[in-house]
Structure formats: structure tokens, C-alpha cells
Amino acid sequence: MSIFKSLVFQVFFFINYIYCEDFNLYGEAGQAYALVINIGHPPQKLHVLVDTGSTTLAIAAYARKDSNIYFHKENSTSLYNSGKEVQAKYSQGTWSGTLASDFIQFPTLPTVPEVRSDLALITKSYKFFMNGSGWQGLLGLAYLPVAAWGDSVVVGSWLDFAEKVNGRALSFELKLCGSTSPVNATHYGNLRMFDDRNTSEAGEYVFRTPILRKRWYEIGVLAIRVSNSTAERERAANETRDPNDVDFEECRLINAEKSIVDSGTTGIRMPDAVFRRVVGELRSSARTSNTLVLDEFWYHGEAACWPEPQEWNLPSLAVDILASEADDRFFTLEIPAQSFMRVISARNKSASSGSVSEFCYKLGLEAAPGTVLGYTAMEGLQVLFNRSAGWIGWRESSCGPAARTSGPWNASGSLLSSCGLDRSLPDVNVSIKAAQWTLCAISVVAGAVLVYLLAPCIKMFPVRRLPRSQQISLSQAALVDRDTT
């Protein structure tokens, strides 16, 4: 009876948790957070991952072996398919397809109107869709041109099209809460969109980091270290911090390629030397607490399973981030073990002799050339992406793991120069416009030469009216009102 009561309580807690919080994001273990999307007329309901690490809205348009849920392009009367090939390559997986345009609407984002937008129709993929995944595509929210590409083709961003229709810049907030209990591997969250005229909540974000380069959401990550919570509290009480806490050599290593905030990535990625130091300290701490975890778990991405859920007695991970107000200031995200010791499955198996349970975990930290703060670093926090103002705000959340923010702290000098964060990158939009004008000029000159050479022959052909072209510009189509289609 006690087991039954416990299950009833968990179900009640789960339902209350979901509906009271009014979440619109969900995902299975290791699959990021998905949002409901309506595409085309009549609308087709699908699910897309919310990805701040790319730009393209890409949708499966073919049946896969593990799923027959996809966008049926022949059923949309409003679809324009250009037939132009596009492709994309991610850190894991690739896909290819065609550039198209259709109406996009998000039922759980009432402040954002339906808009015609570019999208990529995926017709072939490799290791992009996970087996049994509950999503059929990707909603990229980064800046251009971190997108799919093709010959003379750029897939426009849904967010850019929405901003054009809205007439104002849009910001968005991610509130990622993780799983609702230790025995549930499904995670939940909330995505909200803000008109920049109505971002009164921006004032609640005390800790802000500048977006250094507007391609990805690239920021300055100064350190990734195992936190000494007692020392952190002492520093906070004294309202000071030892400037030597910032190891400039390691800081330059962390940002040598780039450091980005990417909700489409699960774990926290860091250079190999930093990874080995951090994991070595966590491994030593686990041994001290008499928790037996094999090296395959720590260093090789293998899962570890137990018959009961684990309460990790491990220190938190501290991530120091450049602050917006001055380039010698920074703040700290303190990420608890519950976040980076990730549950990947939680199941109860029925056996003839009784109930057999299995709870499996994977380490949410990885070694990689570039630094990535995946959604592991965002759970338990609310993160506001202010695209027009060029900053990302962080604050503690009312749900999820007990993540903390602290600071600001002062460094001994300029963090931008000491960490190599002041390197220049050509403005992407200016580069694109320059290339477009160059191509335009070349086309005009070539056309003039061709007309000059063919002028004597043109008068020999009879003049007749040509049929109107059926091709449209996808970028212009995004601004077409629904009633005109």
C-alpha cells in the first residue's frame, strides 16, 4: 500500500508541477528541449528542438526507419519549394534537403504571430535524428550565417522573419528545469519570447555577459573549475575575490577557438587539459565519499547504473563568465552535481520475484576543441538572450537543480586582452552585403557586355510577350500577408 501511495503522490506531483508551471518545452534524456510547431496550411503539428547553436529551421520531410512522423509537403497548400539543395553539418550528424518557404506558428508562443519563413526540408540525414526521438526538426535561434548552406543559397532565420513582421527586435528567455524527480528521465522547461519594448524583466537579470561576436552566442568563459563551496561563501561574505582565481593561461586556452551558449548541446564541453583536471578532482571527491564509479564513466562517456537513484555527494562545478559592466569584472555560475551527473534512464522492471529497478547516469562533461555551455549549464537557471542589446542574462530559477549565481568579482586587469577575447571578427552582415553588391556589379557589367555583343542580332527576332515567372524570392515571401496567398 505504501508503494501505491508513493506512486499516486509522484503522479499528483508530476501533474501539478507541469500544469502550474505552464511549461512548453520537454525532452527525453540526452535529447535537448523540444517545442510544438505548426507548419503550413492546413497546419501540421510537429516538434522541434530549440537550438541556440544554429540558425536554420530544419524539418524532416521523409519517413525514417524509426519514425513515420514528418512534414508532408504535398499536404500544405501554402508551401513554396525552391528545389535548391541545402545541407548542414553539426558536431554530431549531418542532413541535406531543399530550401522552402511556408507559414510557421508556435501555439505556445501567443505573442509571436504566424509568419512565412524560410525552412529546410530534410530529405536525407546521417546520425542527426536519434533513435526513438520525439522531435522532427530543429529551430535555430542564433545569428546568421550559422545556418544550412548550398550553392548561392542562404536559408533565412525564422527569428529574423518574425522580427520583420513584428517591426521590433525580439528577445527570448529559456527556463530549463531538468527532470521533475530522481526517478524520471524526462525534462521540462519554458521558452518565452519578448518584444524589446516589453522587456521589463530584463532589469531582474543582474548578471549579464556580453555577446562578443554575433554569429553563435559567443561569450567569454574565464574558468571551469570544481567549486569549493565554503570558500565561495567566504568570498561572497567579504564581497571580494582573489584576482589570481583567473588563470589567464587557462582562460586563453578555454577561448582559443570560441566559447558559446548552445541549448542544442547536452553537456559542458571544454579543452582536454581543462576536462582532465576537472574530472580528476571530481573522481577524487567521489572516492572520498565512497562512491564507486569506474574510469570508463569519467573519461570515456560510458553509462553507470545502480538499482536505486543516486544522491551525489560531489562538489559543484563553477563557471566564471565575463561580465558586461566592465572588462575586469566577472561572475560565477555554480552548477550542482545533479546537473552534470545526468540521469539517462530510470525504469522499473517487473520480474517474477518482484520489482527490479535500474537508474543509469552519464557524465555531462566532455573534452572538445571549443568550449560549449550546453543545457546542462542552464538547468536551474533562467537565461535571457537579448539579441539587439547584445548580452545574455543569468539568474536563479524557481525550478530545477539548485544552481546558483554569485559575484560580481574583480580581476587584476583587462580580461578581454588577458584572455584573448578582444580578437576581431569581420561583421557577418557587412561581409554578406559586400558580397551581394559585388555579385550584383559583376552581373550588371556582364549583362551590359552581352547586350552590346548581341545587339545586332536582337532586331532579327520577333517581339512577343513572355509569360510571368512563377519563382518568388523567399526573403520577400516572408513579408507577404496571409490573406494575399
Side-chain angles (χ1 to χ4, degrees):
M1 182 62 70
S2 61
I3 295 176
F4 175 78
K5 287 182 178 180
S6 176
L7 289 173
V8 170
F9 174 79
Q10 288 178 14
V11 170
F12 173 79
F13 173 79
F14 173 81
I15 294 174
N16 183 66
Y17 189 92
I18 295 301
Y19 285 98
C20 287
E21 291 289 340
D22 194 26
F23 290 160
N24 61 5
L25 300 176
Y26 80 95
E28 298 301 325
Q31 294 186 16
Y33 288 78
L35 177 72
V36 174
I37 185 175
N38 288 335
I39 306 177
H41 291 158
Q44 298 181 42
K45 178 182 175 181
L46 298 168
H47 297 86
V48 289
L49 292 186
V50 176
D51 181 23
T52 61
S54 66
T55 304
T56 305
L57 171 59
I59 301 293
Y62 73 105
R64 311 189 310 274
K65 291 182 179 180
D66 62 320
S67 176
N68 60 356
I69 303 174
Y70 62 96
F71 178 66
H72 295 261
K73 52 183 180 289
E74 68 278 4
N75 293 342
S76 176
T77 60
S78 54
L79 176 72
Y80 170 72
N81 189 350
S82 73
K84 295 180 179 179
E85 294 185 2
V86 292
Q87 58 182 308
K89 182 178 181 180
Y90 299 84
S91 55
Q92 177 179 329
T94 62
W95 59 257
S96 60
T98 59
L99 171 64
S101 169
D102 211 335
F103 285 99
I104 305 298
Q105 190 260 339
F106 295 94
T108 60
L109 300 177
T111 60
V112 182
E114 182 182 56
V115 58
R116 179 177 278 276
S117 169
D118 285 4
L119 70 154
L121 300 179
I122 300 175
T123 56
K124 185 186 298 184
S125 64
Y126 176 71
K127 291 185 178 181
F128 178 71
F129 296 102
M130 300 178 65
N131 290 334
S133 62
W135 50 275
Q136 295 80 43
L138 202 67
L139 174 63
L141 296 176
Y143 298 94
L144 283 172
V146 191
W149 72 91
D151 293 336
S152 304
V153 175
V154 174
V155 183
S157 161
W158 165 81
L159 195 49
D160 286 345
F161 291 132
E163 288 181 338
K164 290 177 183 177
V165 172
N166 186 57
R168 296 273 182 160
L170 293 174
S171 299
F172 62 93
E173 179 190 69
L174 287 175
K175 180 181 181 180
L176 307 183
C177 301
S179 59
T180 57
S181 74
V183 296
N184 179 22
T186 304
H187 44 258
Y188 300 87
N190 198 15
L191 168 67
R192 293 196 295 167
M193 304 294 299
F194 298 97
D195 185 317
D196 274 6
R197 294 170 296 185
N198 301 315
T199 52
S200 57
E201 295 190 21
E204 299 179 15
Y205 284 84
V206 177
F207 298 111
R208 303 178 182 184
T209 185
I211 299 171
L212 299 177
R213 277 161 285 277
K214 292 183 178 181
R215 298 187 65 185
W216 297 271
Y217 291 102
E218 186 173 349
I219 64 172
V221 176
L222 311 180
I224 302 174
R225 54 194 171 80
V226 176
S227 174
N228 183 331
S229 296
T230 301
E232 292 287 340
R233 286 193 292 270
E234 289 177 353
R235 293 185 187 114
N238 296 329
E239 296 184 351
T240 185
R241 186 179 184 124
D242 183 359
N244 292 325
D245 279 355
V246 178
D247 183 333
F248 292 137
E249 182 177 351
E250 185 168 286
C251 182
R252 286 191 292 271
L253 174 64
I254 289 174
N255 298 282
E257 184 171 308
K258 62 180 176 294
S259 298
I260 66 172
V261 182
D262 181 8
S263 64
T265 295
T266 300
I268 300 174
R269 297 179 176 178
M270 63 198 83
D272 184 71
V274 180
F275 171 79
R276 290 189 174 277
R277 175 182 55 76
V278 167
V279 169
E281 293 179 25
L282 291 173
R283 180 169 168 267
S284 298
S285 180
R287 286 180 171 179
T288 303
S289 62
N290 295 321
T291 302
L292 178 60
V293 184
L294 300 179
D295 285 349
E296 284 75 12
F297 173 88
W298 294 114
Y299 295 105
H300 303 293
E302 297 292 333
C305 302
W306 288 267
E308 65 280 327
Q310 297 296 296
E311 294 185 6
W312 299 101
N313 186 23
L314 294 173
S316 298
L317 193 69
V319 180
D320 295 330
I321 296 178
L322 178 70
S324 290
E325 57 265 28
D327 76 347
D328 62 347
R329 283 195 170 188
F330 62 100
F331 60 90
T332 300
L333 306 180
E334 192 167 334
I335 303 166
Q338 179 187 347
S339 294
F340 59 80
M341 303 294 278
R342 303 199 60 81
V343 57
I344 59 170
S345 65
R347 61 174 71 96
N348 292 322
K349 297 180 180 179
S350 177
S352 58
S353 59
S355 178
V356 177
S357 300
E358 183 181 62
F359 300 89
C360 297
Y361 300 80
K362 287 187 75 172
L363 182 65
L365 309 176
E366 303 174 49
T371 301
V372 180
L373 300 186
Y375 65 78
T376 292
M378 291 184 262
E379 289 179 339
L381 298 167
Q382 291 177 228
V383 188
L384 178 65
F385 294 76
N386 193 319
R387 287 160 49 92
S388 60
W391 55 263
I392 300 174
W394 307 75
R395 64 174 172 142
E396 296 172 13
S397 176
S398 60
C399 70
R404 296 177 60 245
T405 56
S406 59
W409 317 111
N410 292 320
S412 57
S414 170
L415 294 168
L416 284 173
S417 58
S418 298
C419 294
L421 299 172
D422 54 355
R423 63 185 183 275
S424 61
L425 184 72
D427 188 297
V428 171
N429 293 325
V430 172
S431 299
I432 292 175
K433 290 180 180 178
Q436 290 174 338
W437 280 108
T438 301
L439 289 174
C440 181
I442 292 173
S443 299
V444 169
V445 172
V449 171
L450 186 62
V451 168
Y452 175 78
L453 293 175
L454 296 179
C457 305
I458 292 177
K459 60 183 180 182
M460 299 174 59
F461 291 94
V463 177
R464 64 185 180 89
R465 189 168 184 169
L466 297 175
R468 175 176 252 173
S469 172
Q470 297 301 309
Q471 277 198 325
I472 63 173
S473 165
L474 292 185
S475 58
Q476 291 176 350
L479 303 178
V480 174
D481 191 31
R482 176 175 175 175
D483 294 333
T484 65
T485 60

